[in-house]
Structures are given as C-alpha cells and as structure tokens.
Amino acid sequence: MSRGKTTSKVTGKPARQLLFSEALRQQKHPSVEDSPPLPRANMADETQGATMDRILQEILAVSRKLESMDNAMVALTAETRSMRLDIAGFQSQMSGLNQRVTKVETQVASWTNRDLELSHLRSKLTDLEDRSCRNNVRLLGFPEGVEGADIFSYLRDILPKLTDITFDPPLEFQRTHRLGPKRQDGNGRPAQL
C-alpha cells in the first residue's frame, strides 16, 4: 500500500474531504436520528458526583455548626459584658464598704482608747473611795512600833481583846497603813494606825 492520499471508490474524492463534507452536511440538516448521542456519564463521573454531594452536605453541616457556634459566641460576649458590669458594680460597692469599715475601725480604736482611759479613771475612783473617810477606822494611842512587822496580824489579834467582841468570821482588812512616818527617836509618843 502506498502512503499517499486515499480516495473513495465511488466518488474518487480523497477520504479526508469526504469526512469533512459529511460533517458539513450533517450540520446544515441535522436530523434527530443523525444527531450525536448525549454524553453519558460513566461510572467514575457518577462516583465523583456522589462524592461532591457528600462533601457539599458536610460543608453545609459544618456551616450550620459554625453558625450555631457564632450565635453562642455572641451570647457569651453579651454575658461577659454583663458580668463585667456586675463586677464593676461589686467593686464600687466594695470600695464604699471598705471606706465605711475604715471609719468604723477608726471609731472602734478611739473607743478602745476611751475604754482604757475609763478603766484607768475607774481604778483611780475606787482608790479614792477606799481612801475616803466613809469606812475608814482610825486607831490612836498605840505605842510606837508595837505593831511589829505585820500590822494585819497585830490588829486581828488586838481588836477583839480591846472591844470584848468575838468576830465570826474573823475580821478582814482591805488595807492598813500608818499615818505619818515611823519615829526614830523612840521617845514613846503614840502612833496613829
């Protein structure tokens, strides 16, 4: 066979021209029977379409989830703002309470100082009342130095003898003291007890 142009046996035209003229004829007068069949999707195309549908559905599901997360974030943001306002209110209340507590502590400290001063004044008053003449007994005419070292014991022993009274329970003394200094000359003058 020669490698040249092939010609049709019927018309004598080259084969390429026949194909071209046939294509033109079909374009000018297309018939339903002669029209090329619609492209059919093969199995790979159908699988790819199903995969794309699944991917689209998953994207839509993710989109819904993101939308719900966005709504939740908006709600959380609003709640956080509300909590910030509440905290700011609490801080201002705490500041006010702190000032009030400081004032109260200052007052309590001054009261504590006043209580100490009052306690000291009561102690002085009690001492002055004890020294007043209301319940004091002054004994005169005892010889100097007769009481010895223990004035309580001496008075507890001598008073029942001097008064001829038996004291039951025994006498109690709050305090005893000499009036005036003890005389050193010992000339026998009486002491005041």
Side-chain angles (χ1 to χ4, degrees), residues 174-190:
Q174 286 181 349
R175 81 176 51 141
T176 60
H177 57 273
R178 294 175 52 88
L179 293 177
K182 192 172 187 178
R183 294 187 181 105
Q184 299 296 327
D185 59 0
N187 61 5
R189 284 192 249 165

PDB file of all heavy atoms in Angstrom, residues 174-190:
ATOM      1  N   GLN A 174      -9.070  45.573 154.239  1.00  0.00           N
ATOM      2  CA  GLN A 174      -8.702  45.820 152.837  1.00  0.00           C
ATOM      3  C   GLN A 174      -7.279  46.346 152.769  1.00  0.00           C
ATOM      4  O   GLN A 174      -6.486  45.905 151.948  1.00  0.00           O
ATOM      5  CB  GLN A 174      -9.649  46.838 152.198  1.00  0.00           C
ATOM      6  CG  GLN A 174     -11.008  46.259 151.899  1.00  0.00           C
ATOM      7  CD  GLN A 174     -11.908  47.284 151.239  1.00  0.00           C
ATOM      8  OE1 GLN A 174     -11.589  48.475 151.192  1.00  0.00           O
ATOM      9  NE2 GLN A 174     -13.035  46.824 150.743  1.00  0.00           N
ATOM     10  N   ARG A 175      -7.011  47.305 153.599  1.00  0.00           N
ATOM     11  CA  ARG A 175      -5.644  47.804 153.639  1.00  0.00           C
ATOM     12  C   ARG A 175      -5.408  48.481 154.987  1.00  0.00           C
ATOM     13  O   ARG A 175      -6.347  48.969 155.620  1.00  0.00           O
ATOM     14  CB  ARG A 175      -5.353  48.698 152.449  1.00  0.00           C
ATOM     15  CG  ARG A 175      -5.773  50.058 152.479  1.00  0.00           C
ATOM     16  CD  ARG A 175      -5.328  50.857 151.254  1.00  0.00           C
ATOM     17  NE  ARG A 175      -5.629  50.259 149.977  1.00  0.00           N
ATOM     18  CZ  ARG A 175      -6.033  50.935 148.927  1.00  0.00           C
ATOM     19  NH1 ARG A 175      -6.215  52.220 149.015  1.00  0.00           N
ATOM     20  NH2 ARG A 175      -6.256  50.337 147.800  1.00  0.00           N
ATOM     21  N   THR A 176      -4.170  48.456 155.421  1.00  0.00           N
ATOM     22  CA  THR A 176      -3.779  49.122 156.676  1.00  0.00           C
ATOM     23  C   THR A 176      -2.522  49.929 156.410  1.00  0.00           C
ATOM     24  O   THR A 176      -1.689  49.537 155.578  1.00  0.00           O
ATOM     25  CB  THR A 176      -3.477  48.089 157.785  1.00  0.00           C
ATOM     26  OG1 THR A 176      -2.413  47.261 157.355  1.00  0.00           O
ATOM     27  CG2 THR A 176      -4.695  47.280 158.139  1.00  0.00           C
ATOM     28  N   HIS A 177      -2.427  51.012 157.072  1.00  0.00           N
ATOM     29  CA  HIS A 177      -1.207  51.809 156.936  1.00  0.00           C
ATOM     30  C   HIS A 177      -1.080  52.763 158.125  1.00  0.00           C
ATOM     31  O   HIS A 177      -2.052  53.060 158.818  1.00  0.00           O
ATOM     32  CB  HIS A 177      -1.178  52.583 155.616  1.00  0.00           C
ATOM     33  CG  HIS A 177      -2.340  53.487 155.417  1.00  0.00           C
ATOM     34  ND1 HIS A 177      -3.510  53.064 154.864  1.00  0.00           N
ATOM     35  CD2 HIS A 177      -2.509  54.808 155.723  1.00  0.00           C
ATOM     36  CE1 HIS A 177      -4.366  54.075 154.811  1.00  0.00           C
ATOM     37  NE2 HIS A 177      -3.773  55.148 155.345  1.00  0.00           N
ATOM     38  N   ARG A 178       0.109  53.187 158.313  1.00  0.00           N
ATOM     39  CA  ARG A 178       0.412  54.141 159.380  1.00  0.00           C
ATOM     40  C   ARG A 178       0.079  55.533 158.890  1.00  0.00           C
ATOM     41  O   ARG A 178       0.164  55.823 157.713  1.00  0.00           O
ATOM     42  CB  ARG A 178       1.899  54.096 159.712  1.00  0.00           C
ATOM     43  CG  ARG A 178       2.392  52.828 160.313  1.00  0.00           C
ATOM     44  CD  ARG A 178       3.890  52.882 160.484  1.00  0.00           C
ATOM     45  NE  ARG A 178       4.321  54.068 161.188  1.00  0.00           N
ATOM     46  CZ  ARG A 178       4.420  54.166 162.508  1.00  0.00           C
ATOM     47  NH1 ARG A 178       4.145  53.138 163.264  1.00  0.00           N
ATOM     48  NH2 ARG A 178       4.809  55.274 163.074  1.00  0.00           N
ATOM     49  N   LEU A 179      -0.226  56.389 159.812  1.00  0.00           N
ATOM     50  CA  LEU A 179      -0.387  57.808 159.477  1.00  0.00           C
ATOM     51  C   LEU A 179       0.883  58.514 159.932  1.00  0.00           C
ATOM     52  O   LEU A 179       1.203  58.548 161.113  1.00  0.00           O
ATOM     53  CB  LEU A 179      -1.594  58.409 160.193  1.00  0.00           C
ATOM     54  CG  LEU A 179      -2.937  57.861 159.738  1.00  0.00           C
ATOM     55  CD1 LEU A 179      -4.067  58.457 160.535  1.00  0.00           C
ATOM     56  CD2 LEU A 179      -3.166  58.107 158.267  1.00  0.00           C
ATOM     57  N   GLY A 180       1.570  58.970 158.952  1.00  0.00           N
ATOM     58  CA  GLY A 180       2.834  59.646 159.265  1.00  0.00           C
ATOM     59  C   GLY A 180       3.981  58.663 159.288  1.00  0.00           C
ATOM     60  O   GLY A 180       3.790  57.454 159.378  1.00  0.00           O
ATOM     61  N   PRO A 181       5.199  59.194 159.243  1.00  0.00           N
ATOM     62  CA  PRO A 181       6.368  58.318 159.243  1.00  0.00           C
ATOM     63  C   PRO A 181       6.632  57.722 160.617  1.00  0.00           C
ATOM     64  O   PRO A 181       6.216  58.259 161.638  1.00  0.00           O
ATOM     65  CB  PRO A 181       7.499  59.258 158.827  1.00  0.00           C
ATOM     66  CG  PRO A 181       7.045  60.613 159.232  1.00  0.00           C
ATOM     67  CD  PRO A 181       5.558  60.614 159.151  1.00  0.00           C
ATOM     68  N   LYS A 182       7.331  56.639 160.647  1.00  0.00           N
ATOM     69  CA  LYS A 182       7.702  55.985 161.898  1.00  0.00           C
ATOM     70  C   LYS A 182       8.775  56.837 162.573  1.00  0.00           C
ATOM     71  O   LYS A 182       9.723  57.256 161.937  1.00  0.00           O
ATOM     72  CB  LYS A 182       8.231  54.588 161.596  1.00  0.00           C
ATOM     73  CG  LYS A 182       8.388  53.723 162.791  1.00  0.00           C
ATOM     74  CD  LYS A 182       8.726  52.324 162.342  1.00  0.00           C
ATOM     75  CE  LYS A 182       8.722  51.420 163.544  1.00  0.00           C
ATOM     76  NZ  LYS A 182       9.001  50.046 163.183  1.00  0.00           N
ATOM     77  N   ARG A 183       8.574  57.065 163.868  1.00  0.00           N
ATOM     78  CA  ARG A 183       9.532  57.916 164.581  1.00  0.00           C
ATOM     79  C   ARG A 183      10.769  57.103 164.954  1.00  0.00           C
ATOM     80  O   ARG A 183      10.656  55.998 165.446  1.00  0.00           O
ATOM     81  CB  ARG A 183       8.878  58.498 165.832  1.00  0.00           C
ATOM     82  CG  ARG A 183       7.768  59.451 165.490  1.00  0.00           C
ATOM     83  CD  ARG A 183       7.265  60.145 166.754  1.00  0.00           C
ATOM     84  NE  ARG A 183       6.188  61.021 166.416  1.00  0.00           N
ATOM     85  CZ  ARG A 183       4.917  60.781 166.658  1.00  0.00           C
ATOM     86  NH1 ARG A 183       4.579  59.699 167.296  1.00  0.00           N
ATOM     87  NH2 ARG A 183       4.006  61.639 166.316  1.00  0.00           N
ATOM     88  N   GLN A 184      11.905  57.695 164.751  1.00  0.00           N
ATOM     89  CA  GLN A 184      13.157  57.023 165.017  1.00  0.00           C
ATOM     90  C   GLN A 184      13.680  57.291 166.448  1.00  0.00           C
ATOM     91  O   GLN A 184      14.484  56.542 166.948  1.00  0.00           O
ATOM     92  CB  GLN A 184      14.219  57.452 164.006  1.00  0.00           C
ATOM     93  CG  GLN A 184      13.888  57.120 162.565  1.00  0.00           C
ATOM     94  CD  GLN A 184      13.802  55.607 162.342  1.00  0.00           C
ATOM     95  OE1 GLN A 184      14.503  54.835 162.970  1.00  0.00           O
ATOM     96  NE2 GLN A 184      12.898  55.213 161.470  1.00  0.00           N
ATOM     97  N   ASP A 185      13.210  58.313 167.080  1.00  0.00           N
ATOM     98  CA  ASP A 185      13.769  58.647 168.392  1.00  0.00           C
ATOM     99  C   ASP A 185      13.285  57.734 169.493  1.00  0.00           C
ATOM    100  O   ASP A 185      13.916  57.598 170.522  1.00  0.00           O
ATOM    101  CB  ASP A 185      13.502  60.120 168.755  1.00  0.00           C
ATOM    102  CG  ASP A 185      12.026  60.427 168.790  1.00  0.00           C
ATOM    103  OD1 ASP A 185      11.204  59.528 168.544  1.00  0.00           O
ATOM    104  OD2 ASP A 185      11.693  61.594 169.033  1.00  0.00           O
ATOM    105  N   GLY A 186      12.131  57.085 169.292  1.00  0.00           N
ATOM    106  CA  GLY A 186      11.624  56.122 170.256  1.00  0.00           C
ATOM    107  C   GLY A 186      11.325  56.714 171.612  1.00  0.00           C
ATOM    108  O   GLY A 186      11.499  56.082 172.630  1.00  0.00           O
ATOM    109  N   ASN A 187      10.871  57.932 171.658  1.00  0.00           N
ATOM    110  CA  ASN A 187      10.601  58.573 172.935  1.00  0.00           C
ATOM    111  C   ASN A 187       9.229  58.205 173.512  1.00  0.00           C
ATOM    112  O   ASN A 187       8.800  58.792 174.485  1.00  0.00           O
ATOM    113  CB  ASN A 187      10.769  60.094 172.834  1.00  0.00           C
ATOM    114  CG  ASN A 187       9.794  60.711 171.826  1.00  0.00           C
ATOM    115  OD1 ASN A 187       8.941  60.027 171.276  1.00  0.00           O
ATOM    116  ND2 ASN A 187       9.955  61.995 171.612  1.00  0.00           N
ATOM    117  N   GLY A 188       8.545  57.238 172.918  1.00  0.00           N
ATOM    118  CA  GLY A 188       7.319  56.717 173.483  1.00  0.00           C
ATOM    119  C   GLY A 188       6.061  57.455 173.124  1.00  0.00           C
ATOM    120  O   GLY A 188       5.010  57.241 173.694  1.00  0.00           O
ATOM    121  N   ARG A 189       6.127  58.368 172.188  1.00  0.00           N
ATOM    122  CA  ARG A 189       4.894  59.030 171.782  1.00  0.00           C
ATOM    123  C   ARG A 189       4.012  58.044 171.040  1.00  0.00           C
ATOM    124  O   ARG A 189       4.509  57.157 170.368  1.00  0.00           O
ATOM    125  CB  ARG A 189       5.217  60.220 170.871  1.00  0.00           C
ATOM    126  CG  ARG A 189       5.734  61.391 171.670  1.00  0.00           C
ATOM    127  CD  ARG A 189       5.751  62.611 170.803  1.00  0.00           C
ATOM    128  NE  ARG A 189       7.158  62.958 170.559  1.00  0.00           N
ATOM    129  CZ  ARG A 189       7.547  63.788 169.629  1.00  0.00           C
ATOM    130  NH1 ARG A 189       6.691  64.347 168.842  1.00  0.00           N
ATOM    131  NH2 ARG A 189       8.789  64.070 169.470  1.00  0.00           N
ATOM    132  N   PRO A 190       2.696  58.215 171.141  1.00  0.00           N
ATOM    133  CA  PRO A 190       1.797  57.262 170.478  1.00  0.00           C
ATOM    134  C   PRO A 190       1.808  57.394 168.960  1.00  0.00           C
ATOM    135  O   PRO A 190       2.006  58.476 168.428  1.00  0.00           O
ATOM    136  CB  PRO A 190       0.433  57.612 171.051  1.00  0.00           C
ATOM    137  CG  PRO A 190       0.547  58.984 171.581  1.00  0.00           C
ATOM    138  CD  PRO A 190       1.981  59.232 171.906  1.00  0.00           C
TER     139      PRO A 190
END
